[in-house]
Amino acid sequence: MDYFDRFAIPHPSPVIYASMVAIGITVLAIIAGLTYFKKWGYLWREWLTTVDHKRIGIMYLISALLMLFRGGVDAIMLRAQLSVPENKLLDAQHYNEIFSTHGVVMILFMAMPFIIALMNFVVPLQIGARDVAFPRLNALSFWLFFMGAMLFNISFVVGGSPDAGWTSYFPLAGNEFSESVGTNYYMIAIQIAGIGTLMTGINFMTTILRMRAPGMTLMKMPMFTWSSLITNLIIVFAFPVLTVTLAMGTMDRLFGTNFFTTDNGGMDMLWANLFWVWGHPEVYILILPAFGIYSEVISTFARRNLYGYKSMVASMVAISFLSFLVWAHHFFTMGQGALTNSIFSITTMAIAVPTGVKIFNWLLTLWKGKIVITTPMLYSLLFIPLFTLGGVTGVMLGMSAADYQYHNTMFLVAHFHMVIIPGVIFAMLAGLTYYWPKMFGFMLNERIGKWAAWLIAIGTLVAFMPMFFSGLDGQARRMYTYSESTGFGIYNMISFIGALVLAVGFVLIVYNIYYSTRYASRDISSDPWDARSLEWATHTPVPEYNFAILPQVNSTEALWDAKKKGHVLFKGEYEKIHMPNNSGVPFIMGCIFFAWGFSFVFGMWIPLILTTIGIFACMALRSFEKDHGRYISVEEIEETETKLRGAN
């Protein structure tokens, strides 16, 4: 039994046993459903082996939504535990595990795939391309992310969850204080997913720089494409730091090296520095694409062009540069000295300036606009005051002297969530609603969508505003309970009520998807929002090749000019189109990476060696494979275009 003991949960509970049963039943139900409806072949041909950027984007989206609810359950449990003083719902160990996994799931396995989902679906369409630069690499990127997420999510039923916080600081993350394999899961799962993200960064930088439609110069790109380009530039610079840091942490835990130990020449603060050299740019990897979405939505529903296009681009470039110069503000209280703290305090406050430029640009776009309040626009309008509140409290935290009071309190938790939820989650929900008809061929219900938006906005305020006050009053973060005499009970109960309101809002979104799938009209045009950029110039549903004829671009709003000024977007005749073939290798390689990661987590060296050989075998297979893609003939294009014109 000694061999199997390593897979046991160190701190089991009825909730974990129930989760095991639920996972088993879900897996069996999926297998039974696919078998009963004879969908195994369809699943393999159309999804598991696809290299189509649109389908890959939808798979990222489904993964992100699943992780949203996985992380949301964690959040409800955390707020329930703190809702009353001296609560016994969770013990200290379970609380540590839940807040550790909540942070990782929400940032790396929910927000990241959400933005990459929209990048995958939208960017090639916005720049008039037929696919990304490296379609098979794009598929591999997804499967590495997905397998990393799945590896991380089995930790709480096999071996135990990470319990050293989402930042996994050493020495807390070392073997002495984190004895279970939970932190191994953290190191390996994020490593696998991070390699996929780095591939995505390289792929989309190449796509945007090399595959734009004729006439689309850099300064004629839509704002979401600009934000995606800068985001992927940050990814390419930041994620290698994370890769190296996680490798060093893994070696400390599994091979007894001393990079981050407190003795034998190690330096625990090295982890904090390296983590945040990646971690703070990561915040802008999330927020910049969100800014791009808001720019698209606000200009569409204000019925006017985006105010200050060049200043928007310049502010994003400035943010990307400054994002690498502020990392030490995450540990002002850790003793690096007044001079260092002052320098990073200045850079932290400086980064608020280009962000403020964007807020004024959106407000000036709305000024004198013919505003149409749709669900995506409602999210965008609610974002501005809520995000401004979160951003202003960030400037407060940027003052190093004041940060000594704020840093380890619920004030910081409130600030972070008041930035990320309005800044990223609202944008992702706006983008989801905005691009849903292009993805699936029908609109989401507007009435249900607006109810959900209001509930999520109200829930956000009710959940996190009390934390500002309890934090200023001294409530420490990461504490699993508190005494009644502190007076924190009322603040935490209000926060719990707000979390429940948030949960109702997200449940409404699920209901909206169900309701609209059943009852929404499929008789919609290819441009139901009367939008302005190229992704709405193609058919709905989007054909495999995106554009039968590559568009000719004359401005930043090519479709709007075609509709209002008579510009001709599509010139010339149909020609045969070269497209890549589907491939099962990325999926198989992702599965091997999952087995490789699992073997690494538990130190099973023979399976690790075998799976490593399998990974290199897949790479060799691709190197020697003669796959030059295929051509779609003119006849096929004409037939598809005739059919889609009739549908629209």
Side-chain angles (χ1 to χ4, degrees):
M1 284 297 294
D2 289 345
Y3 178 80
F4 294 99
D5 287 346
R6 70 175 77 183
F7 303 114
I9 304 298
H11 307 281
S13 71
V15 173
I16 290 176
Y17 290 134
S19 299
M20 291 178 180
V21 173
I23 290 170
I25 292 172
T26 302
V27 170
L28 289 174
I30 292 171
I31 292 172
L34 290 170
T35 304
Y36 179 79
F37 292 106
K38 299 178 180 178
K39 290 295 184 182
W40 285 106
Y42 167 79
L43 182 66
W44 175 259
R45 289 189 309 272
E46 301 296 328
W47 294 97
L48 300 184
T49 62
T50 188
V51 296
D52 185 339
H53 71 94
K54 299 178 289 296
R55 289 181 181 266
I56 290 170
I58 290 170
M59 290 195 292
Y60 269 116
L61 179 63
I62 293 169
S63 303
L65 291 172
L66 289 173
M67 291 298 102
L68 174 64
F69 286 92
R70 160 74 169 87
V73 170
D74 286 345
I76 293 294
M77 293 173 71
L78 295 175
R79 297 318 312 162
Q81 166 62 23
L82 292 175
S83 60
V84 294
E86 299 174 8
N87 199 353
K88 305 295 184 185
L89 177 67
L90 302 172
D91 61 29
Q93 178 63 28
H94 287 149
Y95 186 85
N96 285 350
E97 292 176 1
I98 289 170
F99 87 70
S100 299
T101 55
H102 169 73
V104 175
V105 165
M106 285 303 210
I107 291 173
L108 289 168
F109 298 132
M110 186 282 293
M112 284 294 291
F114 222 136
I115 65 168
I116 295 174
L118 294 175
M119 276 186 208
N120 260 281
F121 195 93
V122 175
V123 167
L125 296 175
Q126 278 201 336
I127 64 173
R130 294 202 165 105
D131 209 316
V132 295
F134 309 113
R136 195 176 290 195
L137 189 68
N138 197 27
L140 179 59
S141 298
F142 169 74
W143 288 116
L144 288 180
F145 150 75
F146 183 79
M147 295 304 172
M150 292 303 102
L151 182 65
F152 188 85
N153 277 279
I154 67 167
S155 64
F156 75 104
V157 294
V158 183
S161 291
D163 59 1
W166 89 270
T167 56
S168 204
Y169 282 157
F170 281 80
L172 192 61
N175 290 326
E176 181 183 358
F177 295 104
S178 294
E179 297 177 0
S180 76
V181 296
T183 302
N184 294 357
Y185 272 113
Y186 177 100
M187 299 288 173
I188 305 300
I190 296 176
Q191 185 77 279
I192 293 170
I195 293 170
T197 303
L198 181 58
M199 291 177 179
T200 297
I202 295 166
N203 205 345
F204 275 86
M205 277 185 64
T206 309
T207 301
I208 295 169
L209 292 174
R210 302 296 298 169
M211 297 182 67
R212 300 189 304 277
M216 183 178 283
T217 62
L218 285 174
M219 295 308 291
K220 289 179 183 175
M221 294 195 307
M223 197 51 62
F224 181 64
T225 299
W226 254 116
S227 68
S228 299
L229 175 61
I230 294 170
T231 297
N232 285 290
L233 181 67
I234 299 174
I235 286 174
V236 169
F237 278 96
F239 265 80
V241 179
L242 178 66
T243 301
V244 172
T245 308
L246 292 171
M248 293 163 71
T250 303
M251 286 190 281
D252 266 18
R253 287 188 57 84
L254 292 177
F255 303 119
T257 56
N258 292 284
F259 292 112
F260 306 124
T261 57
T262 53
D263 55 8
N264 293 323
M267 186 188 300
D268 55 339
M269 278 302 298
L270 179 61
W271 171 274
N273 276 278
L274 291 175
F275 182 89
W276 287 114
V277 166
W278 161 80
H280 201 85
E282 166 66 15
V283 174
Y284 293 97
I285 290 170
L286 300 178
I287 206 77
L288 286 177
F291 289 167
I293 296 235
Y294 288 131
S295 298
E296 301 291 341
V297 170
I298 288 172
S299 64
T300 294
F301 296 112
R303 301 295 184 230
R304 60 173 299 186
N305 62 307
L306 185 68
Y307 181 89
Y309 177 94
K310 291 181 180 179
S311 63
M312 288 288 272
V313 173
S315 63
M316 283 195 291
V317 172
I319 287 171
S320 68
F321 174 73
L322 288 169
S323 71
F324 285 93
L325 302 178
V326 298
W327 79 88
H329 73 213
H330 291 275
F331 40 92
F332 275 151
T333 60
M334 295 185 187
Q336 62 253 21
L339 177 61
T340 302
N341 281 356
S342 298
I343 292 169
F344 282 94
S345 184
I346 291 167
T347 57
T348 299
M349 287 185 272
I351 207 167
V353 175
T355 308
V357 168
K358 293 183 167 302
I359 298 290
F360 283 107
N361 281 1
W362 291 317
L363 291 173
L364 289 166
T365 303
L366 292 166
W367 187 51
K368 293 189 177 179
K370 298 177 181 178
I371 298 172
V372 181
I373 305 295
T374 60
T375 302
M377 188 62 159
L378 182 57
Y379 278 115
S380 304
L381 294 176
L382 290 168
F383 145 77
I384 293 175
L386 295 183
F387 179 79
T388 302
L389 178 62
V392 167
T393 55
V395 176
M396 292 171 65
L397 286 159
M399 294 183 285
S400 57
D403 188 67
Y404 272 77
Q405 177 180 345
Y406 306 145
H407 183 77
N408 204 39
T409 70
M410 297 301 285
F411 186 94
L412 188 145
V413 177
H415 152 71
F416 184 77
H417 285 82
M418 286 298 293
V419 168
I420 292 297
I421 294 179
V424 179
I425 306 301
F426 281 28
M428 297 305 104
L429 296 175
L432 174 70
T433 312
Y434 185 60
Y435 287 112
W436 186 275
K438 186 58 71 176
M439 290 179 177
F440 300 106
F442 62 92
M443 308 274 282
L444 291 175
N445 184 276
E446 279 287 289
R447 186 180 181 192
I448 301 172
K450 288 176 181 175
W451 268 103
W454 278 111
L455 283 172
I456 291 170
I458 293 167
T460 300
L461 276 171
V462 175
F464 297 107
M465 283 302 294
M467 293 185 197
F468 285 118
F469 299 109
S470 68
L472 289 174
D473 212 18
Q475 185 183 1
R477 57 184 174 140
R478 306 190 183 103
M479 298 295 286
Y480 86 105
T481 191
Y482 54 93
S483 69
E484 188 172 355
S485 61
T486 59
F488 300 147
I490 184 64
Y491 296 125
N492 286 287
M493 178 53 74
I494 294 170
S495 287
F496 178 53
I497 293 168
L500 293 177
V501 174
L502 266 171
V504 172
F506 285 112
V507 169
L508 262 186
I509 291 172
V510 175
Y511 175 70
N512 194 1
I513 292 172
Y514 162 78
Y515 179 88
S516 302
T517 301
R518 289 198 63 181
Y519 302 114
S521 171
R522 267 57 176 177
D523 185 21
I524 62 171
S525 72
S526 58
D527 180 22
W529 302 116
D530 192 20
R532 310 173 81 86
S533 47
L534 275 182
E535 68 269 31
W536 301 99
T538 187
H539 302 290
T540 301
V542 183
E544 178 189 6
Y545 47 77
N546 294 348
F547 299 95
I549 301 169
L550 292 180
Q552 301 282 328
V553 175
N554 297 306
S555 71
T556 58
E557 298 181 318
L559 176 60
W560 189 258
D561 287 345
K563 291 189 290 189
K564 304 300 180 182
K565 299 179 182 178
H567 291 179
V568 179
L569 275 179
F570 303 105
K571 301 175 182 177
E573 303 293 328
Y574 294 145
E575 298 178 2
K576 64 180 181 179
I577 297 172
H578 180 265
M579 296 298 294
N581 289 319
N582 284 0
S583 173
V585 174
F587 172 71
I588 293 168
M589 198 169 174
C591 292
I592 296 172
F593 259 103
F594 180 90
W596 178 87
F598 190 83
S599 302
F600 220 147
V601 166
F602 288 94
M604 299 185 294
W605 306 120
I606 293 176
L608 181 71
I609 292 168
L610 293 175
T611 49
T612 302
I613 293 170
I615 291 167
F616 281 100
C618 289
M619 295 166 67
L621 176 65
R622 176 56 177 157
S623 297
F624 293 103
E625 184 181 14
K626 293 183 179 179
D627 180 0
H628 301 296
R630 59 193 169 82
Y631 283 94
I632 301 176
S633 68
V634 172
E635 292 76 19
E636 289 178 271
I637 297 168
E638 289 175 342
E639 181 181 341
T640 302
E641 290 294 303
T642 301
K643 178 182 175 182
L644 290 174
R645 273 195 293 270
N648 290 324

